[in-house]
Amino acid sequence: MAAAVAPVLRCSVLQRRPLRCGPGLRPVPGAGAALRPCSSRVAQEGINKPVIDRIIRVDHAGEYGANRIYAGQMAVLGRSAVGPVIQQMWNQEKNHLKKFNELMVAYRVRPTVLLPFWNVAGFVLGAGSALLGKKGAMACTVAVEESISEHYNNQIRTLIEEDPEKYKELLQVIKQFRDEEQEHHDIGLEHDAEATPAYSVLKTAIQLGCKAAIFLSERI
């Protein structure tokens, strides 16, 4: 931990200027997924800051909300036969959130002020869908992950239009997470999500909520 903090102090204190960690962040050898600060200061100065802020803020909020949804589902179904499946998806969401926590620091992006609301709303949605049984929980997963995958695809298109080389590593992160969210979506279908009573109505309602959450979290 100390080794990761020291470069930050050198950049922000000794140079007496704001920490600038660009999109060219690299893993520190021997430190797992830790990011090396201040590796691309010039590239940081050339980024479209409003666009990157919106992307990282809303993705952080989305992964935070997804973690709370799976927490709610595990609270109800954790000891059932489908518990290990939900736990596996939740573990991936935890990794997603960890990465976006790192990107928030690296790009100096503030979180949405709505996190306390998503904390409660996500858990309630997860637990509420799980109370409908395995199929209800999986219907929720399909609806949410479909919305997130579509949202990530929109961001990928935006970054490619901006500059695919400049945002290469952020694109890699989003593409990987998009693929994993799509896997969760497919797992939900494989576990009878579509057999949920009033599946179409439930899916539409959840996805409307997701769109509203995305819109608000990008902006506030």
Side-chain angles (χ1 to χ4, degrees):
M1 185 65 173
V5 173
V8 178
L9 296 177
R10 285 198 292 271
C11 290
S12 61
V13 176
L14 296 182
Q15 295 180 11
R16 297 183 182 278
R17 62 194 306 174
L19 172 63
R20 296 173 178 175
C21 298
L25 295 169
R26 297 289 192 275
V28 179
L35 299 175
R36 173 179 295 163
C38 303
S39 61
S40 300
R41 180 180 304 161
V42 174
Q44 169 72 5
E45 292 175 348
I47 70 170
N48 188 332
K49 182 66 172 169
V51 168
I52 298 304
D53 280 6
R54 284 199 305 271
I55 286 175
I56 294 177
R57 179 180 302 114
V58 71
D59 289 354
H60 173 265
E63 297 297 349
Y64 181 86
N67 269 268
R68 297 302 294 152
I69 289 171
Y70 283 117
Q73 291 184 346
M74 284 298 291
V76 177
L77 296 174
R79 298 191 179 190
S80 70
V82 78
V85 177
I86 297 173
Q87 184 66 60
Q88 180 183 1
M89 295 188 287
W90 188 15
N91 289 341
Q92 284 189 312
E93 298 296 350
K94 289 177 181 179
N95 290 332
H96 295 181
L97 180 58
K98 180 177 182 292
K99 185 62 177 179
F100 276 110
N101 280 332
E102 294 170 356
L103 291 173
M104 294 277 283
V105 174
Y107 285 88
R108 301 178 67 86
V109 178
R110 67 164 179 81
T112 174
V113 300
L114 296 172
L115 280 185
F117 179 76
W118 303 145
N119 177 38
V120 176
F123 189 89
V124 169
L125 175 58
S129 65
L131 288 172
L132 299 175
K134 180 196 79 170
K135 294 175 184 178
M138 291 300 166
C140 175
T141 294
V142 168
V144 171
E145 302 294 20
E146 186 173 282
S147 296
I148 293 176
S149 296
E150 180 182 348
H151 172 66
Y152 276 151
N153 279 331
N154 291 336
Q155 290 184 338
I156 289 167
R157 284 190 287 269
T158 296
L159 292 173
I160 289 175
E161 290 172 0
E162 285 283 330
D163 189 330
E165 187 59 32
K166 182 183 297 182
Y167 303 115
K168 180 179 179 180
E169 285 166 290
L170 185 55
L171 275 166
Q172 288 175 343
V173 169
I174 294 175
K175 286 177 180 178
Q176 177 186 334
F177 291 177
R178 184 272 317 273
D179 291 345
E180 291 174 354
E181 306 293 7
Q182 186 63 46
E183 289 175 7
H184 298 172
H185 169 274
D186 296 344
I187 288 171
L189 291 178
E190 291 168 4
H191 285 79
D192 303 321
E194 293 175 309
T196 307
Y199 170 75
S200 296
V201 175
L202 178 63
K203 180 182 176 183
T204 298
I206 292 173
Q207 290 187 329
L208 286 173
C210 288
K211 289 180 180 179
I214 289 169
F215 179 85
L216 292 172
S217 295
E218 282 181 331
R219 290 162 174 78
I220 60 176

